[in-house]
Amino acid sequence: MDLGSNLRARARVCLQQQEDEEMLVPHQELTEGPQPMEVLSAETVSASENQQVEDPPTLKYRWTIENFSRLNTKKLYSDIFHVVGYKWRVLIFPKGNNVDHLSLYLDVADSATLPYGWSRYAQFSLAVVNQIHGKYTIRKDTQHQFNGRESDWGFTSFMSLSELYDPSRGYLVNDTFVIEAEVTVRKVVDYWSYDSKKETGYVGLKNQGATCYMNSLLQTLYHIPYFRKAVYHMPTTENDMPSGSIPLALQSLFYKLQYSDNSVATKELTKSFGWDTYDSFMQHDVQELNRVLCEKLEDKMKGTVVEGTIQHLFEGHHMNYIECINVDYKSTRKESFYDLQLDVKGCRDVYASFDKYVEVERLEGDNKYQAENHGLQDAKKGVLFIDFPPVLQLQLKRFEYDFMRDTMVKINDRYEFPLQLDLDKDNGKYLSPDADRRVRNLYTLHSVLVHSGGVHGGHYYAFIRPTLSHLWFKFDDEKVTKEDAKKALEEQYGGEEELPQTNPGLNNTTFKFTKYSNAYMLVYIRESDKEKIMCDVDEKDIAEHLRIRLKKEQEEKEHKKKEKAEAHLYTIIKVARNEDLMEQIGKEIFFDLVDHDKVRAFRIQKQLPFNHFKEEVFKEFGIPVQFQRFWLWAKRQNHTYRPNRPLTPQEETQSVGQLREVSNKTHNAELKLFLEVEIGPDLHFLPPPLKTKEEILLFFKLYDPEKEDLKFVGRLFVKSLGKPTEVFSKLIEMAEFPPNEEIDLYEEIKFEPTVMCEHIDKRISFKSSQLEDGDIICYQKSLTSTNRNQFRYPDVPSFLEYVRNRQVVFFRALEKPKEEDFSLELSKLFTYDDVVERVARQLGVDDPSKIRLSSHNCYSQQPKPQPIKYRGVDHLVDMLVHYNQTSDILYYEILDIPLPELQGLKTLKVAFHHAIKEEVVIHIIRLPKNSTVADVINDLKTKVELSRPDAEVRLLEVFYHKIYKIFPPGEKIENINDQYWTLRAEEIPEEEKSLGLHDRLIHVYHFTRDSNQNQMQVQNFGEPFFLVIKEGETLTDIKIRIQKKLQVPDDEFSKWKFAFISLGRPEYLQDSDIVSNRFQRRDIYGAWEQYLGLEHSDTAPKKAYTTNQNRHTFEKPVKIYN
């Protein structure tokens, strides 16, 4: 296969041979604005035959979707593509998978036909290509073990729909959408069988979900021995719990990293931070976590033997100065730092960043310095370093805020860093006059923290030299590998790389790729402090109680491991007794007789005779062997467990293993028994009574409707042909009722999927009622029709129904979705009306129909975007289910009008722009759904102040500073979407009402250009508007009218430039140009494609919020709570 010519012909699919895991993105086709319409559909090229055997097979797949906004389907699959024989496809939810974001996944295409137990491991990235600027392509990467239960994996909230559907952002061009997937398949056996400790001497850290950023930092800190020693010497006690003590949790983690043979979990540490599961699935910033963690440790070290360690290791000082040029005045301020943020953009290496850091700024002209006693003066301003710390942490500014696009971007430029860093170079040009020149600031590189991916997500790992020798190791979550210096240094510089050509002899097109894996943080150690920092750390540095605790943990772990290995030699016998039934029924359980996981369990060798096991029971419970009778439990067809029959004398002579096989058809290692013991009136043990075939063993529960209490009261042998009335006196005695009390009996039959509890006829025999050994009878006092009404659950069936379906629900106000407000005990069978009535009563709302509820998304831990419609679900259980999970959280709103009325209305948020005053007022318009735009305008007129009573008003659709539509007055409002688009109302100017034959109504937009990007790219801002232009009118004439309309001062307006813009490309106009000549075409796709552009700087203050914000967005800073 000629891969080079194939790339030239299609420029659609790229496959590269990779020696590492860097993500590569082709630049070639992402230049100079939107791509031509003839973009090919998804195709793949595989060159695995060119792959080295040891390299994991990797394939890059590109999927182009045309007419994207017109897709009418909830989800869409790509064509199937192959990576080493495995079939894959991309799965997309164009309108989001129940979220306000695009949802994107990688799917195993043939999962339905693969054999049972299949699995495959893949590292992959998914990208939404920016067709205007490759720089803004959104790329996220992850890894997953695909299997029958999890055959697709990816990102539910990949990117916001508002960003995707904004044509100016470049993700949707000519209604064409482009997705890239890059898949690396790895052998599962290699991944799981690799032993980091055996191969490298070090172990990794387990990833809790999105904690690779934390793992890379913890490994770096651990491998600074002086830091580790200080952590070990922080005072902790044996009474501390790691989950509640940061020092102990960190000590425990470091100890396990030092002495464990397997990867170490970080859950105890994150619990000590006060993090919940949601925090662990939020990817944060390494630098932010580093600062917060060091601040916490610094605080915890105060008043201890290690106080000041953090400052001693990481704290340096610099001097900010302002020095006047013409007078003798200088102002200085000393500041400390724990890390330094170095610019990457515009700097080729670390030294260039330091040069920029100490660069002198001139304060002159309008920017003169106000010097004390000297007035305004020309001055120079800068920073110089007083001292550097022994451990120098350099944070590389790979992420920057792009003010032009109002978004964060990742800087993937090439940026070099040396193995040895000399900060005394050029006669100490970085040092202040106060610096101690005797200290030699020569540093050696200790670790490189890497970020692989884009601004919206990615993966962190670290290259570390634990002993500062020539040996480098890569710490990537659980896996630690040996690496060469080139991998840790040159290959983490970033920048671009050329795709190797498969046929060098041909004149192939060269493809360059941005390397998305690059250094993000560097740690250097000063040569003169190296011996002290890289000290020995051994067991004597670890507190004795910590050693004992962790060794005990290790022993327990080994014991469990041994038990697991020897499990085939043993049987677990679980013995339930009367005492267990008394203790559990009515408290922990209500159905069946016992929770077998909470009874005494014996681990017995399989070959041991059962009679010998009875000796063990005697030792445990003090019940002599001759008074023990054991019953086997049986699982019935209705999934209940009941004692089925007693063991025979012959069976008791068998081995434990043989008995287990007889009793257990599921072949697990457990034998479940019920121990029957008879106790006489004098509380002495009695021999078990002779059981005949005519007798059955029944278990009895007593229900009290007044207390709503169910409890176990005992068991009885009854004659199968006898009637319940024959044992009434015994049952009344067991219940401690008066002798003549009337009672009702019910049989508890099953509780899954629904409760089945039937009344027992006292007049017929137990056998006629189909009662047998192990059955459960619940009984209670008989109630009259009068006193039944006194109780919520007057009889056993209604009580068991309640218990089966009761549900505690935690309610939160929708505007405060993280704060629990109140909880209610409800029934899963409650109707919609029952639930809102209880919520309204709790909130003191008279009209329950004014309560609106929203369900909980179990994956995002946020409210679902769409609230529950009035009577839109049948029961409470339907409100709580989210896919295959059940939540216990609901969100509420208190409406100002009843929900049925609100649902019959369309609510629109309209921004009214006053014709004369410089003000914009947002109005909420509610009208019946069959209303028209004219109805909206008439309603709005009653709410706003018009420039004159007869003024005409129109409604516009505005999106990202462009006008997309003037709504016809007759258009129905039901389908108008104001979630992503802004609805603007304004008075129609008089000049637009009487357009001449050759007059044109054109769009006029404000724009600016990003000097750091492609010069053709424009960024719109501000309020767009319409303008009437006359035939033959010059730009000079139009400028006068625009200046008057916008009321821009002369000095500012003189700096403005004017351009005819078509499809995002500006063509600048001269004052003498006839503007109407440019606006001749009628066949344009949309009016926003051609407009008059006003180029000037955006001086409006940045808003603290986004107008069309997603309904629920939570961005949490790193916080350590304890």
Side-chain angles (χ1 to χ4, degrees):
M1 180 186 289
D2 179 0
L3 179 62
S5 56
N6 191 63
L7 285 168
R8 284 199 308 280
R10 295 176 181 162
R12 288 292 167 266
V13 183
C14 299
L15 171 78
Q16 70 281 354
Q17 296 167 296
Q18 288 181 298
E19 294 177 356
D20 55 17
E21 298 165 12
E22 289 180 339
M23 213 51 77
L24 307 176
V25 181
H27 272 336
Q28 179 126 348
E29 58 190 292
L30 303 176
T31 58
E32 299 272 317
Q35 297 302 297
M37 290 288 285
E38 59 271 14
V39 177
L40 300 180
S41 59
E43 299 176 46
T44 60
V45 174
S46 175
S48 56
E49 64 269 21
N50 296 325
Q51 203 108 24
Q52 304 247 343
V53 175
E54 64 270 17
D55 285 346
T58 297
L59 182 126
K60 188 161 195 155
Y61 172 80
R62 189 174 176 90
W63 181 20
T64 301
I65 308 171
E66 296 178 348
N67 301 318
F68 185 79
S69 65
R70 297 175 205 170
L71 289 176
N72 226 358
T73 180
K74 180 176 170 61
K75 63 181 180 180
L76 186 68
Y77 289 99
S78 74
D79 290 340
I80 294 171
F81 56 94
H82 297 76
V83 185
V84 287
Y86 291 149
K87 295 180 180 180
W88 303 91
R89 59 185 175 177
V90 176
L91 166 61
I92 184 174
F93 288 73
K95 298 294 188 293
N97 188 2
N98 292 309
V99 292
D100 293 333
H101 285 66
L102 177 78
S103 304
L104 199 53
Y105 308 90
L106 181 67
D107 177 66
V108 176
D110 54 348
S111 60
T113 60
L114 289 173
Y116 178 79
W118 70 270
S119 70
R120 65 184 65 157
Y121 175 73
Q123 288 178 310
F124 63 94
S125 72
L126 297 170
V128 171
V129 174
N130 190 301
Q131 299 166 64
I132 296 174
H133 279 302
K135 175 181 179 180
Y136 296 114
T137 290
I138 297 176
R139 180 176 305 277
K140 296 187 180 185
D141 49 2
T142 185
Q143 52 198 20
H144 185 58
Q145 184 79 34
F146 292 85
N147 54 52
R149 283 180 293 110
E150 294 177 342
S151 60
D152 59 54
W153 195 256
F155 306 92
T156 301
S157 297
F158 190 88
M159 67 181 293
S160 71
L161 293 175
S162 59
E163 188 176 15
L164 190 162
Y165 284 100
D166 174 9
S168 70
R169 292 296 181 103
Y171 301 107
L172 199 57
V173 174
N174 295 327
D175 210 18
T176 297
F177 189 63
V178 182
I179 295 169
E180 286 183 349
E182 186 166 8
V183 183
T184 301
V185 177
R186 295 181 177 277
K187 288 183 181 177
V188 179
V189 63
D190 289 344
Y191 182 77
W192 294 110
S193 64
Y194 181 82
D195 188 331
S196 292
K197 184 82 169 193
K198 185 178 174 184
E199 298 294 332
T200 66
Y202 301 102
V203 296
L205 290 168
K206 291 175 181 172
N207 192 327
Q208 285 188 51
T211 54
C212 52
Y213 71 99
M214 180 180 73
N215 291 349
S216 58
L217 176 65
L218 290 172
Q219 288 282 17
T220 302
L221 293 172
Y222 167 80
H223 286 289
I224 300 172
Y226 192 94
F227 180 86
R228 192 192 330 158
K229 189 187 278 264
V231 167
Y232 283 150
H233 282 271
M234 292 176 75
T236 52
T237 71
E238 61 260 21
N239 297 323
D240 292 345
M241 289 302 294
S243 58
S245 163
I246 293 174
L248 184 58
L250 204 53
Q251 288 172 349
S252 172
L253 184 84
F254 281 4
Y255 180 90
K256 290 170 185 172
L257 281 174
Q258 192 161 346
Y259 293 105
S260 176
D261 291 330
N262 306 106
S263 59
V264 179
T266 57
K267 280 187 180 176
E268 278 187 346
L269 182 66
T270 55
K271 277 184 183 174
S272 77
F273 290 171
W275 289 5
D276 58 20
T277 308
Y278 184 59
D279 289 285
S280 298
F281 278 89
M282 291 281 288
Q283 191 171 87
H284 292 300
D285 179 61
V286 170
Q287 177 189 357
E288 193 180 358
L289 177 65
N290 188 22
R291 287 185 174 178
V292 174
L293 179 59
C294 284
E295 281 172 13
K296 281 287 173 186
L297 288 175
E298 190 177 341
D299 185 54
K300 303 278 184 188
M301 288 177 175
K302 282 178 182 171
T304 74
V305 292
V306 288
E307 181 173 0
T309 299
I310 301 295
Q311 295 98 311
H312 174 72
L313 279 177
F314 303 117
E315 188 178 49
H317 299 88
H318 50 52
M319 177 187 77
N320 292 289
Y321 68 87
I322 299 176
E323 187 175 359
C324 293
I325 295 169
N326 301 316
V327 296
D328 185 15
Y329 182 84
K330 186 175 184 180
S331 168
T332 61
R333 186 177 74 256
K334 181 180 178 181
E335 288 184 355
S336 65
F337 63 85
Y338 281 3
D339 56 37
L340 292 173
Q341 291 194 61
L342 299 185
D343 283 329
V344 170
K345 200 170 186 179
C347 300
R348 68 176 300 274
D349 58 16
V350 173
Y351 289 118
S353 296
F354 269 99
D355 290 343
K356 194 171 180 181
Y357 205 98
V358 301
E359 204 169 53
V360 177
E361 180 187 351
R362 304 281 294 197
L363 304 179
E364 53 194 12
D366 293 339
N367 196 27
K368 286 187 178 183
Y369 174 61
Q370 181 71 46
E372 194 176 336
N373 300 326
H374 295 283
L376 290 172
Q377 292 289 329
D378 290 343
K380 54 185 182 178
K381 175 185 176 184
V383 177
L384 288 170
F385 291 92
I386 298 169
D387 56 62
F388 293 104
V391 179
L392 181 62
Q393 300 180 111
L394 303 179
Q395 304 285 349
L396 308 183
K397 288 161 74 172
R398 286 284 182 189
F399 296 97
E400 280 191 2
Y401 186 75
D402 186 332
F403 287 96
M404 305 301 290
R405 292 183 62 85
D406 193 25
T407 186
M408 291 295 291
V409 294
K410 186 180 178 191
I411 310 299
N412 291 298
D413 301 354
R414 181 177 175 85
Y415 181 88
E416 298 177 10
F417 46 90
L419 192 60
Q420 278 210 319
L421 178 67
D422 187 357
L423 294 177
D424 290 333
K425 65 176 290 191
D426 297 342
N427 296 318
K429 65 178 178 179
Y430 306 129
L431 300 175
S432 75
D434 301 334
D436 185 352
R437 302 288 173 135
R438 294 171 299 175
V439 177
R440 180 76 175 95
N441 292 302
L442 181 64
Y443 287 84
T444 189
L445 186 61
H446 172 265
S447 45
V448 179
L449 276 72
V450 175
H451 178 264
S452 174
V455 69
H456 297 276
H459 183 55
Y460 290 91
Y461 46 90
F463 292 94
I464 301 174
R465 285 198 297 165
T467 61
L468 295 184
S469 68
H470 66 285
L471 290 175
W472 284 92
F473 297 87
K474 180 183 178 184
F475 293 82
D476 188 353
D477 288 337
E478 292 94 337
K479 196 171 182 181
V480 186
T481 52
K482 291 179 183 175
E483 304 291 350
D484 58 34
K486 183 185 176 189
K487 195 83 171 257
L489 297 170
E490 288 94 28
E491 293 192 16
Q492 306 314 322
Y493 289 163
E496 292 183 334
E497 186 169 274
E498 289 185 6
L499 180 69
Q501 292 186 9
T502 50
N503 293 295
L506 299 173
N507 184 22
N508 292 329
T509 305
T510 300
F511 274 79
K512 284 191 173 181
F513 293 85
T514 297
K515 301 209 293 184
Y516 271 74
S517 294
N518 37 52
Y520 175 76
M521 176 178 166
L522 308 172
V523 178
Y524 283 91
I525 291 176
R526 191 158 47 202
E527 285 281 354
S528 57
D529 294 295
K530 189 164 68 174
E531 206 170 308
K532 182 172 67 174
I533 302 297
M534 307 304 289
C535 57
D536 291 331
V537 184
D538 50 38
E539 281 218 345
K540 68 177 184 293
D541 290 301
I542 302 164
E544 186 181 4
H545 76 84
L546 184 66
R547 290 204 303 271
I548 293 168
R549 179 201 291 261
L550 296 174
K551 279 180 180 172
K552 189 178 176 184
E553 276 182 25
Q554 192 61 32
E555 284 167 8
E556 285 174 1
K557 197 174 175 182
E558 292 296 327
H559 180 65
K560 284 180 182 174
K561 191 175 176 183
K562 185 183 176 189
E563 277 190 355
K564 195 174 179 182
E566 296 175 349
H568 64 287
L569 303 175
Y570 290 84
T571 291
I572 303 297
I573 303 180
K574 292 184 173 179
V575 178
R577 302 181 297 145
N578 252 34
E579 289 83 348
D580 296 309
L581 277 59
M582 292 274 192
E583 191 177 307
Q584 292 186 23
I585 293 171
K587 300 180 186 72
E588 297 171 12
I589 64 167
F590 291 87
F591 301 98
D592 269 353
L593 291 171
V594 75
D595 180 348
H596 292 278
D597 290 334
K598 293 180 179 174
V599 303
R600 178 68 173 87
F602 299 82
R603 187 169 181 261
I604 304 296
Q605 286 191 333
K606 286 182 178 179
Q607 68 265 35
L608 187 79
F610 187 81
N611 280 324
H612 288 199
F613 164 68
K614 292 174 80 170
E615 295 286 349
E616 292 293 318
V617 173
F618 168 64
K619 290 177 192 173
E620 179 68 23
F621 299 129
I623 302 167
V625 170
Q626 67 271 26
F627 299 128
Q628 301 173 17
R629 179 156 66 189
F630 288 92
W631 289 65
L632 293 169
W633 292 80
K635 185 177 183 181
R636 297 182 175 178
Q637 285 186 333
N638 61 13
H639 302 293
T640 59
Y641 271 96
R642 301 284 191 267
N644 184 43
R645 64 174 180 82
L647 291 176
T648 64
Q650 183 186 355
E651 284 175 330
E652 290 194 0
T653 63
Q654 294 179 347
S655 71
V656 166
Q658 288 171 312
L659 256 185
R660 199 266 307 161
E661 286 167 15
V662 168
S663 72
N664 194 336
K665 294 183 176 64
T666 57
H667 300 295
N668 65 24
E670 288 184 357
L671 173 61
K672 292 172 182 172
L673 300 173
F674 174 71
L675 173 56
E676 178 200 344
V677 179
E678 296 295 328
I679 298 176
D682 57 356
L683 302 181
H684 283 91
F685 295 117
L686 298 175
L690 186 67
K691 183 186 182 310
T692 64
K693 289 184 179 179
E694 290 77 35
E695 288 183 308
I696 56 175
L697 178 65
L698 299 178
F699 293 82
F700 292 89
K701 298 178 185 178
L702 177 68
Y703 175 56
D704 181 347
E706 187 175 348
K707 296 179 181 175
E708 295 180 3
D709 176 55
L710 185 73
K711 64 182 179 182
F712 176 71
V713 287
R715 54 184 164 73
L716 290 175
F717 281 102
V718 301
K719 294 197 180 301
S720 178
L721 296 173
K723 295 177 182 177
T725 50
E726 295 171 14
V727 294
F728 267 22
S729 60
K730 187 66 181 168
L731 294 179
I732 288 168
E733 182 187 329
M734 287 162 63
E736 299 180 351
F737 287 163
N740 297 322
E741 187 73 59
E742 287 292 320
I743 57 175
D744 288 329
L745 276 59
Y746 302 86
E747 183 191 359
E748 179 191 314
I749 300 171
K750 65 169 187 170
F751 57 92
E752 290 289 357
T754 55
V755 172
M756 193 170 175
C757 182
E758 295 182 349
H759 189 268
I760 296 174
D761 190 336
K762 311 170 195 177
R763 297 165 300 175
I764 63 174
S765 69
F766 289 108
K767 185 174 184 179
S768 299
S769 294
Q770 297 184 330
L771 290 163
E772 58 186 41
D773 277 320
D775 277 340
I776 301 169
I777 293 179
C778 303
Y779 68 103
Q780 67 176 94
K781 288 180 183 179
S782 296
L783 298 176
T784 64
S785 55
T786 307
N787 60 12
R788 280 181 69 87
N789 297 328
Q790 298 175 13
F791 309 113
R792 281 201 312 168
Y793 309 106
D795 54 31
V796 173
S798 62
F799 176 72
L800 290 180
E801 192 73 53
Y802 154 70
V803 169
R804 173 72 179 79
N805 293 297
R806 69 181 168 185
Q807 172 75 54
V808 176
V809 180
F810 298 90
F811 288 89
R812 302 173 181 180
L814 189 65
E815 65 268 18
K816 296 178 181 175
K818 281 289 176 182
E819 297 177 19
E820 196 176 296
D821 198 341
F822 60 90
S823 62
L824 294 174
E825 186 183 278
L826 308 171
S827 167
K828 292 175 187 173
L829 300 181
F830 270 13
T831 64
Y832 174 90
D833 287 352
D834 294 331
V835 176
V836 293
E837 189 276 324
R838 289 290 304 276
V839 174
R841 195 192 315 162
Q842 173 73 25
L843 295 170
V845 176
D846 294 335
D847 184 355
S849 69
K850 290 185 178 178
I851 299 296
R852 180 162 67 174
L853 301 174
S854 293
S855 295
H856 180 69
N857 184 319
C858 298
Y859 300 111
S860 68
Q861 297 294 310
Q862 299 173 22
K864 289 186 183 177
Q866 298 302 324
I868 298 168
K869 290 184 177 178
Y870 179 72
R871 293 179 178 167
V873 296
D874 293 329
H875 299 102
L876 172 65
V877 67
D878 304 313
M879 299 179 183
L880 300 177
V881 170
H882 180 239
Y883 293 110
N884 59 344
Q885 294 193 38
T886 301
S887 163
D888 59 359
I889 297 169
L890 287 175
Y891 304 86
Y892 70 87
E893 300 167 86
I894 302 174
L895 306 173
D896 57 344
I897 61 172
L899 181 56
E901 188 182 328
L902 179 65
Q903 284 180 184
L905 302 175
K906 174 75 173 179
T907 302
L908 294 175
K909 188 165 64 176
V910 179
F912 179 70
H913 290 238
H914 199 278
I916 302 169
K917 300 177 185 175
E918 284 191 21
E919 65 178 29
V920 177
V921 182
I922 305 291
H923 291 276
I924 303 298
I925 308 291
R926 281 181 183 155
L927 291 171
K929 289 182 177 176
N930 60 358
S931 302
T932 63
V933 169
D935 297 324
V936 174
I937 291 170
N938 290 334
D939 186 81
L940 186 67
K941 283 181 176 181
T942 66
K943 296 181 167 73
V944 301
E945 180 189 347
L946 299 172
S947 62
R948 60 183 191 281
D950 63 339
E952 292 182 40
V953 176
R954 65 184 167 202
L955 190 66
L956 310 174
E957 181 183 87
V958 178
F959 189 63
Y960 280 94
H961 318 289
K962 295 180 181 179
I963 298 168
Y964 281 72
K965 182 176 184 178
I966 302 175
F967 288 99
E971 182 169 335
K972 298 287 188 191
I973 66 171
E974 187 171 3
N975 298 320
I976 294 178
N977 184 346
D978 64 346
Q979 185 176 7
Y980 303 118
W981 289 264
T982 301
L983 300 181
R984 183 171 108 191
E986 64 184 18
E987 292 183 25
I988 302 175
E990 285 300 315
E991 65 171 357
E992 291 184 27
K993 295 179 185 176
S994 52
L995 289 177
L997 182 62
H998 300 292
D999 294 345
R1000 290 285 169 81
L1001 187 66
I1002 67 166
H1003 292 242
V1004 185
Y1005 303 153
H1006 304 270
F1007 79 96
T1008 185
R1009 290 189 304 169
D1010 186 350
S1011 58
N1012 297 314
Q1013 298 175 16
N1014 188 328
Q1015 294 295 305
M1016 299 301 287
Q1017 172 70 1
V1018 301
Q1019 305 291 333
N1020 294 105
F1021 66 91
E1023 294 294 345
F1025 60 93
F1026 290 115
L1027 187 72
V1028 176
I1029 58 170
K1030 309 283 185 186
E1031 183 78 16
E1033 198 172 16
T1034 64
L1035 178 61
T1036 301
D1037 302 325
I1038 288 172
K1039 281 166 69 173
I1040 293 168
R1041 290 198 288 128
I1042 289 176
Q1043 185 178 5
K1044 183 180 178 183
K1045 179 181 177 69
L1046 301 179
Q1047 297 180 331
V1048 184
D1050 290 344
D1051 57 340
E1052 186 183 332
F1053 195 71
S1054 65
K1055 300 173 186 173
W1056 288 24
K1057 295 179 184 176
F1058 294 78
F1060 168 72
I1061 298 182
S1062 177
L1063 288 170
R1065 291 179 171 81
E1067 188 180 328
Y1068 287 94
L1069 303 173
Q1070 303 300 317
D1071 285 353
S1072 57
D1073 285 348
I1074 306 296
V1075 176
S1076 58
N1077 291 347
R1078 305 300 177 108
F1079 293 92
Q1080 295 297 323
R1081 281 182 57 208
R1082 300 282 187 185
D1083 59 338
I1084 54 175
Y1085 178 68
W1088 63 86
E1089 288 188 12
Q1090 290 188 350
Y1091 60 89
L1092 180 63
L1094 316 179
E1095 185 183 3
H1096 59 98
S1097 58
D1098 182 4
T1099 56
K1102 292 284 176 190
K1103 291 183 180 178
Y1105 62 91
T1106 307
T1107 308
N1108 293 309
Q1109 217 168 9
N1110 294 325
R1111 186 159 174 256
H1112 307 293
T1113 305
F1114 303 104
E1115 285 199 6
K1116 296 172 69 173
V1118 177
K1119 286 185 181 176
I1120 296 179
Y1121 300 92
N1122 295 325

